[in-house]
Amino acid sequence: MDAVTGTLVQLIRNTDLAQRPDLLRQGKIAFLDYLASALQAARHPRVQEVARWVGNFPGTTPLLGQQVTSNPIQAAFFNGFQSHYLDLDDAQSSIAGHFSTVLFSVLLAERSRETTVRDFLTAYTVGAEIEGILGGYLNPKHKQQGWHSTGTLGSIGGAAALANLYGLDEEATARLLSLGATQSAGLGLEAGSDAKPLHSGFAARNAVFAFELLQHTKVTASERPFNNQNGWQKVFGNLELDPDELTRRWLRPGQLLEPGLWMKLHPYCSAAIGGAAACKTLYQQGLRLDGLREVTFHFPPGADTALHYPAPATGKEGKFSMEYVGWQVLTRGGEDDGLFELSQVPESFQKALPKFHRKNDLPPVEKTVRRTVVTATDLAGKTYRAEVPDPLGSPRHPFSEQDLEEKLIRAKGETWTKALLHAMEAWPAGRLDELENLL
């Protein structure tokens, strides 16, 4: 085992959050948001179609929000797909993607009746930590090269979470990480299609598949997946990692806290949240799109990479379009989630599209900083400017308990939400199976 892999193995195996209530609390919030995102998608016809197909694989592991069971591998796949399907799930800037959708899907699939809440949240935190640290080294280049980090990092994070949850020994942990790393995949070009949420499903499936394979067979795998000669980081980013630096970064303070999680009230890419908030400021000042000559979205260099579609053709592509989100806000005062489900964007948007422009003319910022400035020029030639540095849902302006409760109610109703929140009042104490009837 090389020094980098050996260090990661020890960090994974030795993480204990007994003295970190801040991380346990953030993990609980992330789990509630994950459930809200997954269960709001559960009614979607495409999601239900995939659930029926997954149900053809026999097993007793339940699928979230569906009257269907399957085996752990397929359940992890489905829950990862479902929880990312609407793009309502949380995001994180170090990985430039989403880890909760993968990690919680992995851990729910492999939970046992003895799994405690503390162990569940600790394993989640471990997976998030390795994904965030590795993503921080690779991004923004990894994202700009065209990778979807949810897929490339997800199977590694899932493997790390399972290694921690089940207390695997050093060799088994290294092999599990190796099998997770060798399955890294996910192309960013899939944004705007169903393949993007499939990436989180694939990553969750791959981590569980690797775990099951090692539990039931004697297959081998390299115990040097992160060596600095030809390991994962060298292949994906031509990087060398310092074991001492990894140790210094681990849980100091923790990727869940710094840079923290972005959470969403509406189903579109989190890279558009700041621009949407700025457009709402302009709308509140009385500006309306029909009274504007042009609207320009200003970004730092490369900061709009995730917003793939300046001129989206479908609502699903519009989830990754600053122009489509901005058009909604400047004409309606806010987002209309139904517009993201359209097979063709409205003709009124197409007619308004020439008013919208993008510029990458803001100064460069740290990779964990998101900045969008919106300028609008009215028909008389007067220009207005708006910027909201910390919009609702950002790490420095997190959801209130009421915001999160409302998101859960939209997903599953008030009665269920009250029951869930009551059952989770004692967290992180208790066992996960105490939620069995609600999940």
Side-chain angles (χ1 to χ4, degrees):
M1 197 179 302
D2 63 285
V4 176
T5 300
T7 296
L8 288 172
V9 165
Q10 291 304 320
L11 292 169
I12 289 165
R13 297 183 69 245
N14 294 332
T15 293
D16 181 353
L17 300 186
Q19 304 303 318
R20 293 299 304 271
D22 52 345
L23 288 171
L24 291 170
R25 180 181 181 277
Q26 187 68 358
K28 175 183 175 179
I29 292 170
F31 184 58
L32 287 169
D33 187 79
Y34 165 84
L35 292 178
S37 302
L39 295 173
Q40 190 162 327
R43 300 184 294 269
H44 197 284
R46 192 66 52 79
V47 171
Q48 292 179 344
E49 182 182 13
V50 173
R52 288 191 293 271
W53 175 73
V54 168
N56 292 322
F57 297 85
T60 59
T61 305
L63 310 186
L64 276 175
Q66 310 290 335
Q67 299 299 313
V68 178
T69 61
S70 188
N71 61 54
I73 296 169
Q74 297 300 330
F77 158 73
F78 173 79
N79 289 337
F81 170 72
Q82 176 178 246
S83 56
H84 192 41
Y85 188 77
L86 295 178
D87 230 288
L88 260 176
D89 53 307
D90 63 41
Q92 202 254 18
S93 57
S94 286
I95 65 167
H98 315 256
F99 49 56
S100 294
T101 175
V102 176
L103 297 174
F104 284 129
S105 298
V106 166
L107 293 168
L108 285 178
E110 286 292 353
R111 71 188 189 275
S112 70
R113 296 193 64 83
E114 290 73 38
T115 300
T116 68
V117 170
R118 187 183 300 278
D119 290 344
F120 178 75
L121 295 179
T122 300
Y124 163 74
T125 303
V126 165
E129 195 69 8
I130 192 170
E131 287 194 48
I133 289 176
L134 292 177
Y137 283 116
L138 265 66
N139 282 310
K141 186 176 180 181
H142 189 65
K143 180 82 169 182
Q144 294 167 355
Q145 282 179 319
W147 293 108
H148 182 200
S149 307
T150 306
T152 57
L153 285 157
S155 56
I156 296 172
L162 288 174
N164 174 273
L165 182 67
Y166 283 99
L168 300 187
D169 63 28
E170 293 180 9
E171 290 74 18
T173 298
R175 290 195 295 271
L176 185 54
L177 288 174
S178 186
L179 291 177
T182 203
Q183 295 180 87
S184 292
L187 297 176
L189 60 83
E190 298 292 359
S193 77
D194 289 339
K196 182 178 187 284
L198 281 172
H199 290 162
S200 56
F202 293 157
R205 175 201 65 189
N206 293 346
V208 173
F209 172 81
F211 178 75
E212 292 284 338
L213 188 69
L214 290 180
Q215 298 305 299
H216 299 290
T217 75
K218 295 182 179 180
V219 297
T220 63
S222 170
E223 295 180 14
R224 298 169 49 84
F226 295 101
N227 76 81
N228 279 326
Q229 287 71 50
N230 61 354
W232 185 89
Q233 72 277 11
K234 195 72 173 178
V235 172
F236 274 85
N238 196 29
L239 296 172
E240 295 183 8
L241 300 180
D242 179 353
D244 293 335
E245 186 176 349
L246 290 172
T247 301
R248 288 193 298 269
R249 289 191 177 198
W250 192 264
L251 297 181
R252 297 182 184 178
Q255 293 290 317
L256 294 177
L257 303 175
E258 184 63 44
L261 299 175
W262 286 71
M263 294 185 178
K264 309 177 191 179
L265 292 175
H266 299 283
Y268 59 82
C269 180
S270 59
I273 292 177
C279 286
K280 289 175 186 175
T281 298
L282 295 175
Y283 189 91
Q284 291 161 3
Q285 293 173 357
L287 275 67
R288 302 293 184 268
L289 188 61
D290 59 5
L292 296 175
R293 180 186 301 167
E294 66 178 10
V295 177
T296 303
F297 302 108
H298 304 264
F299 300 93
D304 60 333
T305 300
L307 299 169
H308 298 267
Y309 297 99
T314 67
K316 190 176 284 291
E317 290 182 355
K319 291 172 179 278
F320 309 94
S321 170
M322 189 67 256
E323 293 75 11
Y324 194 58
V325 175
W327 167 75
Q328 294 180 36
V329 174
L330 290 171
T331 57
R332 300 161 184 258
E335 302 89 334
D336 182 342
D337 293 358
L339 292 171
F340 297 110
E341 296 296 325
L342 298 178
S343 59
Q344 183 175 344
V345 296
E347 184 179 354
S348 55
F349 167 70
Q350 295 175 325
K351 289 181 177 179
L353 194 53
K355 293 186 176 185
F356 291 102
H357 309 280
R358 294 191 197 187
K359 290 184 178 180
N360 294 102
D361 56 354
L362 297 182
V365 294
E366 292 292 326
K367 66 184 72 176
T368 58
V369 174
R370 288 180 171 177
R371 189 175 180 216
T372 307
V373 173
V374 180
T375 56
T377 304
D378 65 17
L379 299 180
K382 183 177 180 180
T383 297
Y384 302 80
R385 181 184 186 277
E387 179 181 8
V388 181
D390 299 308
L392 178 63
S394 63
R396 294 186 180 181
H397 187 185
F399 282 176
S400 66
E401 291 182 6
Q402 183 178 355
D403 292 325
L404 197 52
E405 184 173 340
E406 288 177 359
K407 186 172 179 179
L408 286 161
I409 289 172
R410 288 201 301 272
K412 196 69 173 176
E414 186 170 2
T415 300
W416 178 88
T417 297
K418 297 293 186 185
L420 176 72
L421 294 177
H422 177 73
M424 292 177 63
E425 281 181 353
W427 278 37
R431 293 199 318 274
L432 195 64
D433 67 353
E434 294 169 358
L435 298 183
E436 198 72 35
N437 293 334
L438 292 168
L439 301 182

